[in-house]
Amino acid sequence: MADPQGQGPFRGIYPMLYALFAADGSLDRGANDAQVEACIAGGVHGLAVGGLASECNKLTVEERRDHARWTLEAAAKAASDRVPVSVTVSDNTVGGQIESVKRAAEAGAAWAVLQPPPVKSASEEELIRFFGAVADASPIPIGIQNAPEYIGIGLSNAGLIELNRRHPTISILKAEGTGLYIGRLAEESGGAFTLFNGRNGIELLDSLRHGCAGLIPGVEACDVESRIYDLHMAGRANDADRAFREILPLLHFLMHTIDHLLCYGKRLAARRIGLSEVHDRGPAQAPHPVGMAILDHWSRDLGRLGQ
């Protein structure tokens, strides 16, 4: 089993920021600044932007790059000690990913995460060559998002290990899966990777106990998850377990699908940030009264984020 405390400089809770839209459908920079400030005030250990919860598939290339740049600028203003920011890039070409990584690095990103191109028939060898070409041109550490359940394509554990062997700068994994999957990946890779799980934190403590350095959940409960992480790292296992049991029903409700998370998780995040309204960029799942009632029930004890 890998030791999370020995897994390099990146660790803790890095919430994946939502793409928040104005009434006219454009990205709302003011709302994003408020989101960044609330997360930092809530005690997060870093920020992530550009992934599935950032609706990367609904943004143009320039919007994705703007979202990352705005986040980096807001984070630099909101914290006296710089909060590390991870930028996920989802361009479909090697050249596009290299350019996005370089722009993120120039803006101050601490590390970048590469999503695979949406070619489900691509072989592992093709994916290794794709990721390797981007990593070799990167000025910052590179991670891979391995989430075949959500993206539809990914690498086996053996493929990930071979990728790191050929390209050691690929040293971080956002490996979405169960605690069992994380534990086996940590053992098989022998500490080659700094591991993060996603899945909105539903595997938070199992992930930390079995090889993860941190998690990349949503924004909506990132303050609670950060406290749980801190309790765990302080050796207060019973307190961490107790706090996790209290938040788990909410996390479980939110993490049915990515579309479901974007519908209900974004509304909870907006409420906790203090935004008056959520504007979806369609097509999008619409909230249902029953869903909102369930959300309200399990989030009833959560106040303003960061206060």
Side-chain angles (χ1 to χ4, degrees):
M1 183 189 305
D3 176 6
Q5 299 206 46
Q7 285 198 12
F10 307 121
R11 58 175 56 87
I13 302 300
Y14 279 64
M16 180 61 69
L17 301 183
Y18 288 112
L20 300 171
F21 301 105
D24 65 1
S26 63
L27 282 172
D28 188 332
R29 181 166 188 171
N32 192 67
D33 286 354
Q35 179 177 214
V36 169
E37 292 165 5
C39 288
I40 291 174
V44 302
H45 308 93
L47 297 168
V49 64
L52 299 177
S54 297
E55 295 179 81
C56 57
N57 61 330
K58 292 185 182 178
L59 304 182
T60 67
V61 171
E62 286 307 314
E63 283 179 323
R64 292 197 298 269
R65 292 173 179 172
D66 284 345
H67 195 199
R69 177 173 54 83
W70 294 350
T71 296
L72 287 156
E73 291 173 356
K77 293 177 182 177
S80 56
D81 294 326
R82 192 172 183 88
V83 175
V85 177
S86 167
V87 175
T88 298
V89 300
S90 55
D91 306 73
N92 295 332
T93 65
V94 168
Q97 291 208 356
I98 290 173
E99 179 64 19
S100 290
V101 169
K102 286 184 175 179
R103 289 201 188 191
E106 289 168 359
W111 46 290
V113 175
L114 312 181
Q115 283 188 359
V119 182
K120 294 183 180 180
S121 60
S123 67
E124 288 211 330
E125 180 60 32
E126 289 175 307
L127 289 177
I128 289 171
R129 287 199 299 266
F130 181 96
F131 289 138
V134 179
D136 288 349
S138 174
I140 54 177
I142 288 293
I144 302 297
Q145 183 172 14
N146 204 51
E149 178 182 353
Y150 303 117
I151 298 177
I153 183 172
L155 290 169
S156 67
N157 290 0
L160 291 167
I161 293 165
E162 176 63 17
L163 177 62
N164 170 263
R165 187 190 69 78
R166 296 188 202 177
H167 306 277
T169 56
I170 300 177
S171 57
I172 308 167
L173 284 180
K174 186 186 179 188
E176 315 247 7
T178 66
L180 174 60
Y181 164 70
I182 290 295
R184 294 184 64 176
L185 175 58
E187 289 178 355
E188 291 174 20
S189 59
F193 297 104
T194 297
L195 293 175
F196 283 78
N197 202 347
R199 287 162 60 88
N200 208 33
I202 61 174
E203 311 277 352
L204 198 162
L205 288 175
D206 286 339
S207 296
L208 295 178
R209 284 190 288 259
H210 297 285
C212 272
L215 283 91
I216 303 178
V219 167
E220 58 283 340
C222 63
D223 53 342
V224 179
E225 290 167 301
S226 295
R227 288 197 298 273
I228 294 169
Y229 173 90
D230 291 340
L231 289 168
H232 171 80
M233 296 304 293
R236 296 171 59 184
N238 290 339
D239 291 335
D241 285 348
R242 188 178 304 110
F244 183 59
R245 283 195 294 269
E246 291 176 358
I247 200 67
L248 183 56
L250 172 64
L251 302 180
H252 176 75
F253 166 71
L254 291 172
M255 202 54 214
H256 289 313
T257 65
I258 296 298
D259 289 342
H260 184 91
L261 175 66
L262 290 170
C263 175
Y264 295 103
K266 184 187 287 192
R267 281 165 171 77
L268 176 55
R271 180 192 306 167
R272 299 197 67 208
I273 293 166
L275 304 179
S276 60
E277 193 171 359
V278 171
H279 302 283
D280 294 314
R281 177 177 284 187
Q285 180 176 328
H288 188 278
V290 173
M292 290 304 298
I294 294 171
L295 179 68
D296 291 345
H297 177 81
W298 291 117
S299 64
R300 63 191 182 278
D301 294 328
L302 298 178
R304 284 289 293 268
L305 180 58
Q307 293 185 0

